[in-house]
Amino acid sequence: MSAAIEMDLRQAEIYQHWTDDIVRFADLDRLNHVNNVAFATYCESGRVDFLEHCWPGCTDGSGIGWVIAEFKLQYLAAGHYPNQVRIGTRVLRLGNSSLVLGQGLFIAGSCFATAESVLVWADTRQQTSLPMDEALKQRLRSYL
């Protein structure tokens, strides 16, 4: 995998790709803060939107596409209802059959969480990793 790009994922200006979502009432815990499951769901929304933008059909689970191998989430502040959530997504590292995505979750311009995900390009039927197509790698490089 290529060398890590050190970036502050809390900075909105590092993201080229954005996904919009909302804080739902169902996303709240007993203290009326966004719960931990909702943080992961916002990341998933941004991750899937980004991957589908780069390579349509790659997340449908019906053959060759992305599987998630690792997910790390850093909570920075509470989120509240009602609100709009902006999810920034970018490539941090690109390998032969895997990549690392960095994400920032923002409400009103303020970052309330960051995440990193390791994804593997795989044949989901055979459950084996595969090298990425060169055209896919080229598309992903534009987000490094």
Side-chain angles (χ1 to χ4, degrees):
M1 191 169 294
S2 63
I5 297 176
E6 291 299 319
M7 300 203 167
D8 185 350
L9 297 176
R10 299 170 297 175
Q11 302 303 313
E13 60 271 9
I14 69 166
Y15 300 103
Q16 295 174 330
H17 186 87
W18 290 93
T19 305
D20 293 316
D21 206 340
I22 60 168
V23 175
R24 295 158 196 80
F25 182 78
D27 295 344
L28 303 180
D29 63 16
R30 292 178 55 165
L31 300 175
N32 289 323
H33 299 138
V34 171
N35 69 51
N36 60 327
V37 174
F39 279 77
T41 299
Y42 303 146
C43 291
E44 178 185 59
S45 294
R47 185 173 60 246
V48 169
D49 182 59
F50 173 78
L51 295 170
E52 286 294 324
H53 170 78
C54 290
W55 204 257
C58 68
T59 64
D60 69 9
S62 65
I64 296 173
W66 294 110
V67 293
I68 189 163
E70 183 178 330
F71 179 68
K72 294 188 306 185
L73 182 60
Q74 182 178 17
Y75 303 98
L76 303 172
H80 300 280
Y81 171 87
N83 254 312
Q84 300 291 316
V85 178
R86 296 211 74 212
I87 306 123
T89 304
R90 67 164 299 122
V91 175
L92 297 178
R93 291 186 286 280
L94 183 61
N96 189 44
S97 62
S98 64
L99 67 89
V100 178
L101 292 181
Q103 295 181 291
L105 304 180
F106 296 83
I107 290 178
S110 181
C111 186
F112 68 103
T114 62
E116 289 187 27
S117 303
V118 177
L119 293 120
V120 177
W121 189 246
D123 182 331
T124 59
R125 286 179 235 149
Q126 299 297 318
Q127 298 184 5
T128 59
S129 65
L130 298 171
M132 282 180 265
D133 182 277
E134 192 55 43
L136 174 56
K137 280 188 186 178
Q138 189 62 31
R139 184 72 191 259
L140 292 167
R141 276 188 201 104
S142 68
Y143 291 96
L144 269 169

